[in-house]
Amino acid sequence: MSPCRIAVIGLGVITLKRHLPVIAASPDFEIVAGANRRPVETSMCGRQYRDYRDMLASEPSIEAIAICTPPDVRCRIALDVIAAGKHVLLEKPPFSTLGEFRQVRLAAERAGVTLLGAWHSQFSVAVERAREILADQQVAKLRMIWREDVTVSHPGQDWIWKVGGFGVFDFGINGFSILTRILPDPLVVRAATLRIPNRSQTPIAAEMDFAGLQGDDRLHAEMDWRSTTVERTIEIVTRGGQRLRTTNAPQHLEVDGAVVVDGENLEYPLIYDRFAEMIARGESQLDELPLAVVADAYLIGRTLTDDTII
Amino acid sequence: MSPCRIAVIGLGVITLKRHLPVIAASPDFEIVAGANRRPVETSMCGRQYRDYRDMLASEPSIEAIAICTPPDVRCRIALDVIAAGKHVLLEKPPFSTLGEFRQVRLAAERAGVTLLGAWHSQFSVAVERAREILADQQVAKLRMIWREDVTVSHPGQDWIWKVGGFGVFDFGINGFSILTRILPDPLVVRAATLRIPNRSQTPIAAEMDFAGLQGDDRLHAEMDWRSTTVERTIEIVTRGGQRLRTTNAPQHLEVDGAVVVDGENLEYPLIYDRFAEMIARGESQLDELPLAVVADAYLIGRTLTDDTII
C-alpha cells in the first residue's frame, strides 16, 4: 500500500516537536501540506497555507488531516475537514465541549471517515500495563499530582487563560485520560476547588476528590501551574494492598516498589500507528471521558480567586 | 398484577404536589412509606422515616423508590437503593455530575433493576408532537426564554445557590431536556455567559448561543431568575420556514400560528405510567444530555458577577 497522504492544521510547538518528526519517520504516512495563520519556519510540513480552507481546495490528494490547533476552533475545522471527506486525527483535548464530541462523531459516521481523538498519554506501554493490572481490582486510594511552571511550559500562550482554553485542566486532563483508561470503575468527581487568577477565565490550580467504593477510600487529584518543579505522578493502592506508581507519567511504572515499565516516550509513534490501522479498518475512536471529568469539576467545583499575576 | 409497592425519599414541595397525588391515583403503584430528614405533615406517604436507610431496613416489601431530594445527595441514595434491589425513579436533574450518571447506570445494570431519570418536561404531548414535526427538518432559528422570580419559585431554598445546586440551570435544564428531545441535531453550546451573585456559587441568570448548521443560523437561550414575570417559551424556525412555538412550556404548542396542542399538565401521570411499563419490561432510561448542555455552558462559559442580593 502507498503511504496515506496527510496534512497538518496548526503548526505550533507540539506539531513541530511531536507530529511532524513522527510523520516523517512513519512508513504509513507521507506529509503533503500544513496550514497555520502565521507562516512558520519549517521544512517538515510540505507546502504551507495560511488558511486551511485554501489547503483543502488546492490539495485534493490529501487523504487525512491532523488537527493540532487550540481546542476552541477544532470543531469548526473538523467539520470542514470531514465534509471534504478526509480522515481526522485530533490533538488532545479533542474539543472544548461535550456537544462538539457528539456533533463531530455524528458527522464522521455519516461521512464514513475515520476519527481518532489522540489523548496521547493513553498511548503508552505503562498505561496499558496498569490497566491490565487493575482490571479485576478495586481502588482504595488514588493520588494524582500534576505540577509544572506555566511560564515555562506555556510562555506567552494567552489562549489557555481564555474561555475554552481550560487553564490547568489542559495539563491535568492528560492525567484524567490515564485514569479513565486504567481504573476499573467510573471516575466520579465528588468535590472540586478551582483557583482562578484575576485576569483569567480558567483555573491556574485545581484540587479534586473522587468517589470511592467504600467510605474510607481516598481518591484525590491536584493540578498546579504555580509550581517551580515538574511532576506527573499517579499513585494507586488497591483494596488488596497492591501499590502502583507512575512517575514522569506515563512512561515509568512501579508495582510494589519494583520497576515494571521504564521506556522512552513512544506516544506519538503509537498514535500514528493506530491512526493508520484504524483508517485501514474503517474504525473510529473518540473518547470523551477525560473531558467529562473536567466538566464535572466545573459543574460542582467551588471557585476561588487566585492572586497569581498572569 | 398487584400494584408495585413504592416509597418516596425526599418530601419537598414537588413530592407533595406532584408525586404523591399521582401515586395515590395510579392503579400501578401503592405507597408504602416516605423518608425525610425533618418530619413533614402529610397523610399521603404512608409511614414516615427520618433516615431512608431505616426505611430500607424496616420495609423489605418496598419494590420501587422515587428519589426526590436535591440532586447533590441523590447518587449516594440511589446506590444504596439499588444495592437493596429496588427499582429507582429519579427527579430531575437526576444527578449533579456526568460521572454519577455512569456510576449509577452501571450499578443498576449489574443489579438488574429499572432506572428512570424523570426529566418531567419530556413527558408531554406537545414535546412529542414537536419532536415528530422536527424529525426530518433543519433548525435555522431557535429562541428559548425561561424566566421566573426565584424568590417566588424557590423561597428560602439555599441549596440552589450552593455548589451542585445549579442555580438558574435547575430551572433552565427543563428547557434543555425539551430541546435535546425535540431537535433533530445535537445541541452544541458555542458561547455562554453566567451571572453569579456575590454570595452564590451558582448563576442567577445565563445566556447561551448554540451552533447552527449554517453561518447565519441563530440559536439562543436565556434563563433569568431575576424576572418578575413567568415565561417558558421555545420558538423554532426551520430551514423551510415552519414556525413552532411552545409557551407555558411544554403544554402548549403552536405551528405557524395555529394551536396544535393545548392540554393540561399530565407530565407526572405519564412519568409513573412509563415507570410501571419499564419495570414490567425490565428496561431503563437515563438521559444525561440535558446535564451535558449545562456542563458545556460551564466549560466554555464566561462568568460575570451579578449584584442581585440573595
Side-chain angles (χ1 to χ4, degrees):
Chain A
M1 288 219 322
S2 59
C4 175
R5 294 171 59 80
I6 195 167
V8 178
I9 300 175
L11 297 169
V13 180
I14 297 292
T15 306
L16 299 179
K17 196 169 143 192
R18 302 287 186 196
H19 290 262
L20 293 176
V22 168
I23 292 170
S26 167
D28 299 319
F29 293 95
E30 178 191 342
I31 192 79
V32 177
N36 202 62
R37 283 189 194 165
R38 289 170 304 174
V40 172
E41 287 255 353
T42 174
S43 60
M44 299 192 72
C45 79
R47 282 175 294 281
Q48 249 188 68
Y49 294 82
R50 296 183 76 148
D51 190 321
Y52 72 90
R53 286 162 294 198
D54 292 340
M55 181 177 79
L56 287 175
S58 305
E59 306 275 1
S61 74
I62 294 170
E63 297 166 89
I65 294 188
I67 304 178
C68 310
T69 64
D72 60 334
V73 292
R74 245 177 242 150
C75 177
R76 181 69 262 156
I77 296 173
L79 291 173
D80 287 343
V81 166
I82 289 167
K86 319 298 184 192
H87 305 295
V88 178
L89 186 150
L90 294 149
E91 245 301 332
K92 56 79 13 189
F95 303 109
S96 300
T97 68
L98 299 161
E100 289 174 340
F101 274 85
R102 284 194 297 280
Q103 187 180 27
V104 174
R105 192 182 285 129
L106 198 64
E109 279 168 18
R110 287 176 179 164
V113 300
T114 285
L115 197 58
L116 174 57
W119 298 100
H120 58 78
S121 299
Q122 291 184 344
F123 290 79
S124 132
V125 181
V127 165
E128 200 47 29
R129 189 85 182 82
R131 194 180 70 81
E132 289 164 10
I133 292 169
L134 292 172
D136 55 359
Q137 310 253 8
Q138 290 191 347
V139 171
K141 280 186 191 153
L142 162 66
R143 194 164 156 264
M144 169 184 142
I145 308 286
W146 237 247
R147 288 192 192 117
E148 68 178 8
D149 182 344
V150 68
T151 64
V152 173
S153 64
H154 290 76
Q157 287 180 274
D158 265 2
W159 62 269
I160 54 175
W161 305 118
K162 291 185 178 160
V163 159
F166 293 118
V168 77
F169 285 124
D170 183 71
F171 175 49
I173 204 168
N174 295 330
F176 301 150
S177 76
I178 297 172
L179 293 179
T180 54
R181 177 89 187 133
I182 67 177
L183 294 180
D185 290 292
L187 187 64
V188 182
V189 181
R190 269 280 177 270
T193 304
L194 316 185
R195 293 170 198 277
I196 301 183
N198 270 311
R199 291 174 48 236
S200 173
Q201 283 276 331
T202 63
I204 194 166
E207 292 168 42
M208 293 157 76
D209 288 312
F210 303 102
L213 295 174
Q214 294 184 10
D216 57 350
D217 293 341
R218 291 288 168 267
L219 288 74
H220 185 73
E222 285 176 44
M223 287 132 274
D224 201 332
W225 256 353
R226 301 164 303 181
S227 174
T228 52
T229 56
V230 178
E231 182 172 4
R232 296 191 303 279
T233 301
I234 292 172
E235 293 175 337
I236 291 171
V237 183
T238 67
R239 183 88 58 223
Q242 200 169 28
R243 292 175 174 271
L244 280 73
R245 183 164 192 270
T246 164
T247 52
N248 186 20
Q251 262 58 258
H252 180 95
L253 176 68
E254 292 171 20
V255 178
D256 292 332
V259 177
V260 295
V261 179
D262 189 21
E264 55 177 325
N265 184 341
L266 293 175
E267 294 171 9
Y268 282 84
L270 288 170
I271 286 171
Y272 278 88
D273 288 352
R274 178 116 181 85
F275 190 38
E277 192 182 294
M278 290 178 68
I279 290 171
R281 293 188 185 169
E283 293 172 354
S284 283
Q285 179 186 321
L286 184 61
D287 175 9
E288 70 193 45
L289 289 183
L291 183 63
V293 174
V294 176
D296 284 349
Y298 276 99
L299 275 174
I300 62 162
R302 176 170 297 277
T303 57
L304 299 174
T305 303
D306 184 84
D307 59 7
T308 306
I309 309 288
I310 59 155
Chain B
M1 288 219 321
S2 60
C4 176
R5 294 171 60 81
I6 195 167
V8 178
I9 300 175
L11 298 169
V13 179
I14 296 292
T15 307
L16 300 179
K17 196 168 141 193
R18 301 287 185 196
H19 290 262
L20 293 176
V22 168
I23 292 170
S26 167
D28 299 317
F29 293 96
E30 177 191 343
I31 190 81
V32 177
N36 201 63
R37 281 188 194 166
R38 288 171 306 176
V40 172
E41 288 254 353
T42 174
S43 60
M44 298 193 73
C45 79
R47 282 174 295 281
Q48 249 189 66
Y49 294 81
R50 297 183 75 149
D51 189 321
Y52 72 90
R53 287 163 292 200
D54 293 339
M55 182 177 78
L56 288 175
S58 305
E59 306 275 359
S61 75
I62 293 171
E63 296 166 90
I65 294 188
I67 305 178
C68 310
T69 64
D72 60 332
V73 292
R74 247 177 240 152
C75 178
R76 180 70 263 156
I77 296 173
L79 291 172
D80 287 343
V81 165
I82 289 167
K86 319 298 185 192
H87 305 295
V88 178
L89 186 151
L90 295 149
E91 245 302 332
K92 55 85 359 195
F95 303 110
S96 300
T97 68
L98 299 161
E100 290 175 338
F101 274 85
R102 286 194 296 280
Q103 187 180 28
V104 173
R105 193 182 284 129
L106 197 65
E109 278 169 18
R110 287 176 179 164
V113 300
T114 286
L115 198 57
L116 173 57
W119 298 100
H120 57 78
S121 299
Q122 291 184 344
F123 290 80
S124 131
V125 180
V127 165
E128 198 50 27
R129 190 84 182 82
R131 192 179 71 81
E132 289 164 9
I133 292 168
L134 293 170
D136 56 358
Q137 310 252 9
Q138 291 190 347
V139 171
K141 282 187 189 153
L142 163 67
R143 194 164 156 263
M144 171 184 140
I145 308 287
W146 237 246
R147 290 194 189 114
E148 66 177 11
D149 182 344
V150 67
T151 64
V152 174
S153 64
H154 290 75
Q157 286 180 277
D158 266 2
W159 63 268
I160 55 176
W161 304 117
K162 291 185 178 159
V163 159
F166 291 118
V168 76
F169 285 123
D170 183 71
F171 175 48
I173 204 169
N174 295 330
F176 301 150
S177 76
I178 296 172
L179 293 179
T180 54
R181 177 89 185 133
I182 67 178
L183 294 180
D185 290 292
L187 187 64
V188 182
V189 181
R190 268 282 177 270
T193 304
L194 317 184
R195 293 171 196 278
I196 300 182
N198 271 309
R199 292 172 49 234
S200 173
Q201 283 277 330
T202 63
I204 194 167
E207 290 167 45
M208 293 158 76
D209 287 312
F210 304 103
L213 295 173
Q214 295 184 8
D216 58 348
D217 293 342
R218 291 289 170 267
L219 288 74
H220 185 73
E222 285 176 43
M223 289 133 273
D224 202 332
W225 257 351
R226 302 164 303 181
S227 174
T228 52
T229 55
V230 178
E231 182 172 3
R232 297 192 303 279
T233 300
I234 292 172
E235 292 174 339
I236 290 170
V237 182
T238 67
R239 185 86 61 221
Q242 198 169 30
R243 292 175 174 270
L244 280 73
R245 183 165 193 267
T246 164
T247 52
N248 185 22
Q251 261 59 259
H252 180 94
L253 177 67
E254 291 170 22
V255 179
D256 292 331
V259 177
V260 297
V261 178
D262 189 22
E264 55 177 326
N265 184 340
L266 293 175
E267 294 171 8
Y268 282 84
L270 288 170
I271 286 171
Y272 277 89
D273 287 354
R274 178 114 182 88
F275 190 38
E277 194 181 294
M278 292 178 65
I279 291 171
R281 293 187 186 169
E283 293 172 356
S284 283
Q285 179 186 323
L286 184 62
D287 175 8
E288 71 194 44
L289 290 183
L291 184 64
V293 174
V294 176
D296 285 349
Y298 277 99
L299 276 174
I300 61 161
R302 177 172 295 276
T303 57
L304 299 175
T305 304
D306 184 84
D307 59 7
T308 306
I309 310 287
I310 58 155

